[in-house]
Amino acid sequence: MRETIRFLKGGEIVELDDVGPTDTVLDYLRLRRRETGTKEGCGEGDCGACTVALGRLVDGKPVYQPVNSCIQLLGMIDGAELVTVEDLTADDKLHPVQAAMVACHGSQCGFCTPGFIMTLFTLYHSEGQQKSRKTVNEWLAGNLCRCTGYRPIVEAALDACFDAADDAFSWRANETRERLQALADSRDVFIGDSERFFASPSTLDGLASLYAQHPDATLVAGATDVGLWITKQLRDLSRTIWLGRIEGLDRVENSPSGVLIGATATYQASEEAMTDLSADLGELWKRIGSKQVRASGTVGGNIANGSPIGDTPPALIALGTTLELQTIDGSRALPLEEFFIDYGKQDRKPGEFVTGLFVPRLSGNQTFRCYKITKRFDQDISSVMGAFRFTLENGVIREARIAYGGMAGIPKRAAGAEAALTGALVDDPSTWGEGMQALLTDFTPLSDMRASAEYRMETARALLAKALMEISGTAPEDIRVLAQREADNDRAA
Amino acid sequence: MTAPLEHLDLTGPLKQVRKSLPHDSAEKHVRGTAEYIDDMVEPVGTLHVVPGWAKDAVRGSVHAIDLEDVRSAPGVVEVLTAADIRGINDCSSAFGDDPVLAEKEILFNGQVVFAVVAETREAARKAALNAKIEITPSTPILTPDDAVDADTTVMPDYQFRRGSPETGMPASEAVLSGTMYIGGQEHFYLEGQVAMALPQEDGGMLVYSSTQHPTEIQHTVAKVLGVPDAAVTAEVRRMGGGFGGKESQANQWAALAALAAQKTGRACKLRLDRDDDMIMTGKRHDFKVEWKVGHDGSGKIRAVDIQFLARCGYSADLSLGVNDRTMFHADSSYFYPDALIRSRRLRTDTCSNTAFRGFGGPQGMLAAERMIDAIAIKTGRDPLEIRKLNFYDAEHNLTPYGMPVEEHEVMLDLVEKIEESSDYWNRREEVARFNSENAVLKKGLALTPVKFGISFTLKQLNQAGALVHLYTDGSVHLNHGGTEMGQGLNQKVAQVVAEEFGVTLDKVRITATNTSKVPNTAPTAASSGTDLNAMAARKAAREIKDRLIAYIGEQYQCGPEAIHFGDNKVLVGEQAFSLAEIAKQAFVARIQLSHAGYYATPGITWDRESVTGRPFFYFAFGGACAEVTIDTMTGEMSVDRVDILHDVGHSLNPAIDLGQIEGGFVQGMGWLTTEELVWDDKGRLRTHAPSTYKIPTASDVPEDFRVDLYEGEGNPQATVYRSKAVGEPPVMLANSVFCAINDAVASLNPGEVPSLDAPATPEAIMKAVQDMRRRKATQ
């Protein structure tokens, strides 16, 4: 048992024994360390002004990820190197990304700038990135700038971020590795008392028993949702259990039958495997939150909390995903769609936690499409999300699995449309009509700030039509204005 | 993307101005050392203030306020209500209708009723949740339509009239009419509203406020505290963005911080939570526009009748000026022989809408472009032809409010240049070909002009002061009444002062805007910051320099022509001195080395009462050509290419001007595409965080984005180095994007005018697409 957290900052090991269950990294930096370079713009992980970099060892090398410090719990940086804008200058000289931002006139009001600098710092240290505006845009999707119109920032990124890293961090990478290795231990962390604590067990059994003792504790994986309970709902979470140090829970395992995503695997960590399953799934993954959100947020957490902000469940449901849960007494698995009972209500018992999900691979006669409709392309939550898996046999739809988000209080399958399309001819649009019609009775969507009920219904139908048009090849031309598929690797044979 | 401006060499013999120097704070921005108010070291014992409000109340009378559980919450030191105000309970700019703390009536969802003062911000936020406020609700008036029905306004209607549209309209060959809704816009400055107040001796107050208008902060705080203006000092070094949202609406937060400081005797800071900020503060006005235009059959406008119905919110705020500016820009760049331009300033039970970059102008211009597009669609001619056909020219150069457009040739030349550089006509053919070959995706193209009047239309605001000191080591202290919100004002003014003294920028010290250094200032707004403050600073510097020249002339027995300031030196005939040496000598000779410069814009004579005179010193021009693709199944849209040419006169700093143009365009594009404010039917704003309100990200910027500065003769008016204002005009370059989307929708049913409203979200685009299809089906 360890009653402290430890991390690296500015070349020094920091050890803290006063870490509250809801303390955030941003408050630690600004209020306790009085390092005010890191800014709060929104307090909910959507603007990126508070971006800091966290370095952790991946295959023995320090790898830096951008995270939103406003919704990152302080305890979650245990074992990492915390890098903030104050740490970048060496001998008072600007870091290459800082110098490029000045040279390109990349700041105006300057308030968002430290956040951009930190995201660019992580891009600077990220190897094997293709030098393109698209790459930069992807990295910057979680950093809002209201002044510049982004062009000079993108230019600075292109100038500075695509050569081999040559800065104080790369020079002392070996030393950093040694220090991070020295920090890595397999002790459970527990700070506080049974009334109020931050805990970070290191094994699944440790978690099961701690959670059984405190079934009202809040489990935290990436905190991209829980963070907002703290900063926006001002909920007093007196006991938080961070899952990030549990051995093996973050695994992403590819097998011939599918992909197993451990409960604490981040979106980022599972992106490659998802892209491999389907080009559309890869595109969808890239549009979940932002780089910062994907570096912290987990698919498991998103599902476990039944977050209404979930654009992956419809796709995962259409693909036939199963969810795996565990308690101190044992484990069980169920089809993902059965986990979502009603708005805000999931099939999760006291003391039970998600351990992972299994996404089956498409078989040779299956094809998959998914579409995310948003007001803004990047870092937005869908008004309608449609996902479609068709099993084809000689041009006949043998099975249709269709799931939507935004059409009900939970991600939900379109049972009527699935039935109506079974037996339809994929190349004959006249046989699609009943399926299209069935959507009208499958769902009764609501109007809210994202879209009206009418638009949702019209668009749900349009997406089904679009999927069928694309799969059948009945559309003579490209019919996507956004999210172009980079590769068509799942066209059914 | 191309690296812009490399071909421009504007400096000539000038050493400091017209150079693309970085923003003065650029290095501090990237290091995180540029200090914003929340970063300042707090005095010991600083308390934190959080405003409290009735979450469910929209409109109604308060019948019970129970704050006991707020007072007893941990860390709470004080809870303020209207009863604690010793002065006047008002933080409005002019009209006296903005209570700092609501008393008997709640006027909108989000109105502040009390304020918690606590040891920490977290404690204050949590305590504020414990309030129990009961109101007797009344049916709220939410939309412009509601307000028209209820006939509620915040101020009287107003109109411009020229000739007789009543006779001109029936005399037209063709008359078109329509209705358009134009949405508002949240400022989303990255730094939210914040103020810190420090009690001073004798009842004085020092207030740091993130404000575009320190003088108004000073006046408001004095008024609320019940102390003289001279007892209050307001200061701001920089804002993390303003965009108009901190022109009048920083007042309330400064007043609350000061009130808490007065009551507790301790330093007090108030920094709004982002959601509170978005719920409580006003936005760009949204409009319903009813338009009618008559033309001669070929597309030349004969008569125009437009009615602007603006949602102003619960109070007047700056709605007078905003809506007047809508009317001033209802002509865009077009001559209306007979015109009636009417404006209603509607009172609704929503947050009080306020200044936002463009200040009403963008909405006026967008309505004009809708009329032009309608004429083009109905006559079957290209919209660009109709635009040029109706441009102001030598014969027809009078606006509906009587001011001549003197630079109509610049306007036409600029548009013709971009018509060529964007390859408009070939691309028009390519777009038509694409649309004939694609059933689902449709492209649209539009080239729209910008003409924006520069000056505050409230004449008294067109003045500025600056304070310049030359110290005996040759360093220069620069202060002026303008505020820095990212636009590079301080850098431009410093360049002008450095040029005057012949020194490099490192010799000029930029200092925080402070009401005790330069008093009685105008807000930094109306794009006029540089025009006004750089002139005032130049006059101050020039006065000091003239004194030095007079001294040198006497001391060294030479004429002024033999004295030259440059390269950090003062040349006197063959002799070279450092500026420090000259300053020391002058000091010994008892020459005053400090001067307060003052500037008032000449030539503006607008009289609102009689609707006569000249409101603007000059116009700034621009043009943009946008190409978009829409998905007619889902309404998704991408902006594929944008070409911009913009007139900044002779630029004081091309890099900074380019930043304003690109940033303004992208902000305008957000307003017209992704940024949608949604209130529910109860009057609660549902889009009060960046999770639901979507400003553009990097990937929304057009893949192909070509921006250039117009190279002309410079400003014909005697502005500072013949430059032109650049803050607001570029916002309206984004009208091209909206018109291009409209063009794409129009391709679905040639001859029919789409009913596209702004913002053109996927849903708004689909609504217009489906309307076109319905009309086609019934044809």
Side-chain angles (χ1 to χ4, degrees):
Chain A
M1 182 80 76
R2 176 148 60 83
E3 293 187 50
T4 61
I5 64 159
R6 302 174 309 188
F7 56 92
L8 196 56
K9 172 103 171 52
E12 304 288 330
I13 301 282
V14 181
E15 184 154 16
L16 300 176
D17 60 6
D18 51 345
V19 177
T22 58
D23 291 358
T24 64
V25 174
L26 181 64
D27 281 352
Y28 167 72
L29 289 169
R30 289 187 62 88
L31 302 180
R32 285 169 68 172
R33 291 181 71 107
R34 283 227 38 94
E35 291 177 2
T36 55
T38 309
K39 310 299 180 193
E40 179 182 316
C42 69
E44 61 171 44
D46 256 289
C47 79
C50 67
T51 303
V52 298
L54 287 185
R56 291 184 195 277
L57 295 180
V58 176
D59 301 329
K61 279 179 70 178
V63 170
Y64 295 95
Q65 298 282 3
V67 301
N68 291 309
S69 64
C70 70
I71 52 170
Q72 186 89 13
L73 299 189
L74 179 56
M76 291 167 62
I77 64 174
D78 184 58
E81 179 182 14
L82 170 64
V83 188
T84 68
V85 70
E86 287 89 354
D87 301 322
L88 291 205
T89 46
D91 297 332
D92 207 39
K93 272 186 67 186
L94 296 182
H95 186 276
V97 299
Q98 292 174 315
M101 279 283 275
V102 172
C104 295
H105 305 276
S107 71
Q108 287 184 23
C109 87
F111 198 83
C112 70
T113 311
F116 273 95
I117 293 289
M118 292 316 298
T119 304
L120 293 182
F121 168 80
T122 61
L123 174 58
Y124 177 87
H125 278 279
S126 175
E127 288 173 6
Q129 299 292 330
Q130 194 200 350
K131 182 174 178 176
S132 70
R133 186 171 174 267
K134 189 170 188 286
T135 303
V136 175
N137 286 348
E138 239 174 72
W139 279 75
L140 293 182
N143 289 87
L144 298 180
C145 168
R146 194 53 151 165
C147 296
T148 63
Y150 300 100
R151 197 266 316 153
I153 301 174
V154 173
E155 205 166 276
L158 290 169
D159 282 358
C161 294
F162 291 89
D163 296 324
D166 183 17
D167 65 356
F169 293 83
S170 61
W171 305 332
R172 61 168 189 248
N174 280 335
E175 187 192 332
T176 303
R177 186 188 63 229
E178 283 163 21
R179 308 190 75 169
L180 290 179
Q181 273 167 348
L183 288 183
D185 65 15
S186 54
R187 283 186 287 171
D188 291 343
V189 170
F190 189 95
I191 306 174
D193 53 42
S194 62
E195 288 302 305
R196 195 170 178 80
F197 64 75
F198 171 85
S200 167
S202 57
T203 63
L204 216 45
D205 289 346
L207 167 65
S209 73
L210 185 65
Y211 200 27
Q213 276 174 52
H214 303 284
D216 59 343
T218 304
L219 300 187
V220 181
T224 54
D225 196 18
V226 173
L228 277 75
W229 303 355
I230 296 165
T231 62
K232 292 296 167 178
Q233 299 172 14
L234 302 174
R235 273 157 73 172
D236 185 32
L237 308 175
S238 51
R239 305 179 186 95
T240 53
I241 303 173
W242 178 47
L243 311 178
R245 292 174 64 250
I246 294 171
E247 182 80 44
L249 200 56
D250 63 346
R251 68 200 188 281
V252 177
E253 284 173 12
N254 262 303
S255 71
S257 58
V259 178
L260 180 79
I261 304 174
T264 59
T266 61
Y267 288 103
Q268 168 102 355
S270 54
E271 184 188 310
E272 199 181 315
M274 293 299 106
T275 308
D276 186 50
L277 280 185
S278 150
D280 270 13
L281 208 54
E283 281 299 309
L284 173 64
W285 240 247
K286 287 197 182 82
R287 287 176 66 194
I288 302 295
S290 59
K291 204 83 189 168
Q292 289 91 323
V293 168
R294 295 194 299 276
S296 297
T298 65
V299 194
N302 186 265
I303 290 167
N305 284 338
S307 169
I309 307 165
D311 287 333
T312 52
L316 295 172
I317 289 169
L319 286 165
T321 298
T322 48
L323 186 68
E324 296 167 4
L325 298 118
Q326 187 176 324
T327 61
I328 195 164
D329 300 321
S331 60
R332 65 178 173 129
L334 78 168
L336 180 56
E337 58 267 38
E338 291 176 16
F339 182 69
F340 301 104
I341 298 168
D342 207 344
Y343 184 81
K345 194 174 170 204
Q346 301 85 43
D347 180 9
R348 189 161 71 90
K349 301 183 184 74
E352 192 173 42
F353 50 90
V354 170
T355 50
L357 16 90
F358 181 76
V359 193
R361 207 171 284 284
L362 293 168
S363 64
N365 61 347
Q366 287 178 335
T367 186
F368 177 78
R369 289 292 187 280
C370 68
Y371 309 91
K372 172 173 171 168
I373 306 298
T374 51
K375 286 184 194 170
R376 184 177 72 192
F377 182 72
D378 269 325
Q379 209 201 8
D380 197 358
I381 295 155
S382 60
S383 52
V384 186
M385 170 76 219
F388 312 88
R389 190 188 76 181
F390 296 106
T391 308
L392 304 175
E393 207 176 281
N394 301 324
V396 180
I397 297 174
R398 280 297 163 217
E399 189 210 26
R401 276 182 76 92
I402 300 173
Y404 284 96
M407 296 294 288
I410 50 171
K412 198 178 156 207
R413 283 175 70 176
E418 287 180 355
L421 282 170
T422 305
L425 305 176
V426 72
D427 291 332
D428 180 1
S430 71
T431 65
W432 307 346
E434 272 180 49
M436 303 282 293
Q437 196 63 20
L439 287 176
L440 295 173
T441 48
D442 278 337
F443 297 104
T444 314
L446 296 176
S447 294
D448 66 10
M449 76 290 263
R450 296 205 166 84
S452 69
E454 297 75 33
Y455 173 77
R456 286 193 155 110
M457 182 54 84
E458 285 303 316
T459 305
R461 303 178 75 206
L463 295 183
L464 174 56
K466 189 171 278 222
L468 290 164
M469 284 164 77
E470 282 190 352
I471 290 164
S472 67
T474 49
E477 75 285 329
D478 196 355
I479 58 170
R480 291 194 199 196
V481 66
L482 298 171
Q484 305 290 0
R485 297 155 61 84
E486 279 187 356
D488 189 20
N489 63 356
D490 67 344
R491 178 72 217 266
Chain B
M1 288 184 302
T2 51
L5 304 176
E6 278 172 4
H7 61 287
L8 287 182
D9 177 18
L10 298 167
T11 53
L14 297 168
K15 300 287 187 192
Q16 302 302 334
V17 298
R18 298 189 186 158
K19 265 173 134 170
S20 285
L21 298 172
H23 191 286
D24 61 274
S25 297
E27 265 208 44
K28 287 178 279 186
H29 293 154
V30 301
R31 287 172 183 265
T33 55
E35 193 176 66
Y36 302 82
I37 287 166
D38 197 39
D39 303 337
M40 298 173 78
V41 175
E42 297 160 2
V44 171
T46 296
L47 299 172
H48 298 265
V49 187
V50 164
W53 54 295
K55 306 267 170 183
D56 297 319
V58 178
R59 176 73 195 254
S61 56
V62 179
H63 71 76
I65 303 183
D66 177 358
L67 301 174
E68 270 324 295
D69 292 346
V70 183
R71 285 179 209 284
S72 60
V76 172
V77 173
E78 190 64 65
V79 181
L80 304 171
T81 64
D84 294 301
I85 295 172
R86 295 183 200 168
I88 298 164
N89 184 9
D90 175 54
C91 58
S92 69
S93 300
F95 293 93
D97 53 354
D98 285 312
V100 180
L101 292 162
E103 244 179 306
K104 297 187 173 68
E105 269 241 284
I106 292 194
L107 302 172
F108 75 103
N109 182 242
Q111 186 158 34
V112 182
V113 179
F114 65 97
V116 191
V117 189
E119 298 287 350
T120 67
R121 186 165 174 269
E122 188 187 357
R125 287 182 73 202
K126 285 185 169 163
L129 299 177
N130 297 343
K132 297 179 198 75
I133 300 167
E134 288 173 34
I135 70 155
T136 310
S138 49
T139 308
I141 293 162
L142 301 174
T143 64
D145 287 309
D146 288 352
V148 168
D149 291 345
D151 195 26
T152 57
T153 58
V154 292
M155 62 187 65
D157 300 350
Y158 188 52
Q159 68 175 46
F160 295 157
R161 167 186 284 277
R162 172 164 61 202
S164 170
E166 290 81 355
T167 51
M169 203 66 79
S172 302
E173 282 294 310
V175 174
L176 305 171
S177 64
T179 301
M180 179 185 196
Y181 288 88
I182 302 173
Q185 187 176 24
E186 158 64 34
H187 301 85
F188 210 84
Y189 25 65
L190 262 288
E191 177 210 35
Q193 302 275 359
V194 57
M196 181 160 73
L198 282 64
Q200 310 289 298
E201 63 182 30
D202 298 329
M205 196 64 69
L206 170 60
V207 184
Y208 297 99
S209 164
S210 182
T211 176
Q212 294 171 241
H213 199 350
T215 289
E216 198 167 280
I217 294 294
Q218 178 198 17
H219 293 172
T220 302
V221 167
K223 181 171 71 177
V224 173
L225 299 187
V227 301
D229 288 350
V232 178
T233 299
E235 179 171 313
V236 55
R237 171 62 183 89
R238 63 173 64 77
M239 283 163 271
F243 315 113
K246 296 170 180 172
E247 182 173 345
S248 65
Q249 302 218 351
N251 295 356
Q252 190 171 9
W253 322 114
L256 282 170
L259 193 62
Q262 185 187 45
K263 182 95 189 203
T264 61
R266 291 161 71 174
C268 288
K269 181 157 79 175
L270 187 159
R271 174 169 67 84
L272 282 185
D273 174 66
R274 176 61 64 179
D275 292 63
D276 285 353
D277 193 317
M278 292 178 77
I279 288 167
M280 292 170 180
T281 65
K283 306 171 192 319
R284 190 188 290 286
H285 291 62
D286 52 326
F287 280 75
K288 179 182 184 183
V289 185
E290 296 166 342
W291 56 270
K292 195 174 189 185
V293 59
H295 65 91
D296 67 357
S298 72
K300 199 157 176 78
I301 293 170
R302 174 81 184 75
V304 162
D305 182 350
I306 317 185
Q307 164 98 299
F308 290 101
L309 303 167
R311 167 151 69 171
C312 297
Y314 78 90
S315 71
D317 189 76
L318 303 173
S319 288
L320 186 146
V322 168
N323 286 282
D324 284 6
R325 190 166 279 269
T326 302
M327 299 165 67
F328 283 119
H329 290 81
D331 60 340
S332 183
S333 302
Y334 315 115
F335 178 70
Y336 300 160
D338 287 319
L340 181 59
I341 296 166
R342 295 173 290 160
S343 159
R344 302 205 69 196
R345 292 94 201 271
L346 300 164
R347 187 191 189 292
T348 51
D349 302 325
T350 51
C351 61
S352 189
N353 285 335
T354 190
F356 195 137
R357 201 176 191 177
F359 207 67
Q363 298 95 317
M365 283 178 53
L366 196 67
E369 305 307 345
R370 167 55 54 91
M371 291 193 291
I372 294 285
D373 285 340
I375 294 171
I377 289 166
K378 285 296 178 186
T379 56
R381 299 181 66 182
D382 191 275
L384 181 57
E385 282 179 356
I386 303 295
R387 292 201 154 87
K388 288 164 78 177
L389 182 67
N390 286 290
F391 269 2
Y392 288 105
D393 59 27
E395 273 174 67
H396 309 102
N397 76 340
L398 271 193
T399 61
Y401 48 92
M403 177 173 161
V405 181
E406 287 129 354
E407 291 180 272
H408 54 82
E409 286 172 358
V410 169
M411 190 173 87
L412 180 64
D413 183 50
L414 188 151
V415 164
E416 285 181 339
K417 285 204 162 79
I418 195 157
E419 181 178 346
E420 195 185 321
S421 66
S422 69
D423 197 20
Y424 180 85
W425 293 104
N426 282 326
R427 286 168 65 206
R428 171 58 72 196
E429 281 178 30
E430 284 167 29
V431 163
R433 189 178 318 117
F434 179 94
N435 288 344
S436 70
E437 291 167 358
N438 287 268
V440 174
L441 303 187
K442 296 288 177 188
K443 276 185 175 287
L445 183 71
L447 195 166
T448 59
V450 171
K451 164 186 131 286
F452 194 76
I454 302 299
S455 290
F456 287 98
T457 57
L458 182 58
K459 196 163 62 191
Q460 71 198 40
L461 298 179
N462 296 290
Q463 56 173 319
L467 182 63
V468 175
H469 310 317
L470 173 62
Y471 292 104
T472 51
D473 69 346
S475 65
V476 177
H477 175 108
L478 168 61
N479 196 272
H480 57 81
T483 57
E484 177 65 41
M485 60 195 99
Q487 81 279 41
L489 170 63
N490 281 334
Q491 175 65 26
K492 284 182 170 179
V493 176
Q495 284 178 253
V496 167
V497 168
E499 190 73 55
E500 213 53 56
F501 283 118
V503 296
T504 45
L505 264 294
D506 56 311
K507 299 283 190 290
V508 180
R509 185 82 179 182
I510 291 165
T511 56
T513 315
N514 184 307
T515 55
S516 66
K517 284 187 182 169
V518 176
N520 308 322
T521 56
T524 307
S527 308
S528 65
T530 305
D531 281 11
L532 295 172
N533 294 289
M535 272 305 217
R538 182 159 81 161
K539 286 173 115 175
R542 191 163 281 180
E543 173 62 30
I544 297 168
K545 190 165 121 180
D546 285 348
R547 289 177 200 154
L548 293 176
I549 290 170
Y551 159 73
I552 296 165
E554 203 164 289
Q555 185 69 20
Y556 296 92
Q557 291 300 306
C558 62
E561 70 287 342
I563 303 166
H564 178 71
F565 287 67
D567 300 325
N568 286 326
K569 292 201 164 37
V570 182
L571 299 179
V572 181
E574 299 295 301
Q575 269 182 290
F577 298 92
S578 69
L579 185 57
E581 285 171 305
I582 291 293
K584 273 192 204 96
Q585 290 181 24
F587 170 74
V588 170
R590 298 192 299 172
I591 307 293
Q592 189 192 4
L593 297 179
S594 172
H595 191 71
Y598 175 80
Y599 174 77
T601 312
I604 43 178
T605 58
W606 179 246
D607 179 60
R608 188 175 189 272
E609 284 288 302
S610 60
V611 202
T612 56
R614 181 185 178 108
F616 303 120
F617 193 21
Y618 61 89
F619 292 105
F621 299 98
C625 179
E627 181 179 324
V628 304
T629 308
I630 64 168
D631 179 334
T632 61
M633 294 177 79
T634 62
E636 291 164 286
M637 185 274 300
S638 79
V639 183
D640 304 324
R641 173 174 166 184
V642 171
D643 294 59
I644 288 171
L645 189 58
H646 198 82
D647 163 36
V648 295
H650 288 322
S651 174
L652 283 174
N653 181 322
I656 284 176
D657 285 347
L658 184 75
Q660 289 297 297
I661 295 165
E662 292 176 341
F665 166 78
V666 171
Q667 195 172 66
M669 185 180 74
W671 166 53
L672 293 172
T673 57
T674 57
E675 295 182 37
E676 185 177 30
L677 292 162
V678 182
W679 277 267
D680 65 16
D681 52 10
K682 294 193 181 70
R684 295 173 304 191
L685 180 67
R686 301 319 297 166
T687 49
H688 51 74
S691 52
T692 46
Y693 184 78
K694 311 312 282 188
I695 73 168
T697 63
S699 63
D700 296 304
V701 178
E703 177 82 42
D704 190 351
F705 191 30
R706 310 178 191 196
V707 186
D708 217 338
L709 303 183
Y710 175 73
E711 290 177 79
E713 302 298 309
N715 196 335
Q717 300 292 352
T719 52
V720 62
Y721 292 97
R722 301 282 170 183
S723 62
K724 281 191 177 182
V726 69
E728 292 165 293
V731 168
M732 284 145 280
L733 295 166
N735 289 351
S736 60
V737 173
F738 187 79
C739 291
I741 297 169
N742 198 62
D743 185 56
V745 176
S747 73
L748 292 168
N749 192 357
E752 287 291 312
V753 181
S755 57
L756 183 68
D757 291 327
T761 58
E763 178 161 358
I765 291 171
M766 272 321 286
K767 200 169 142 239
V769 163
Q770 282 161 347
D771 180 53
M772 290 297 267
R773 287 187 176 138
R774 261 191 298 275
R775 279 190 261 168
K776 195 167 189 173
T778 57
Q779 267 163 16

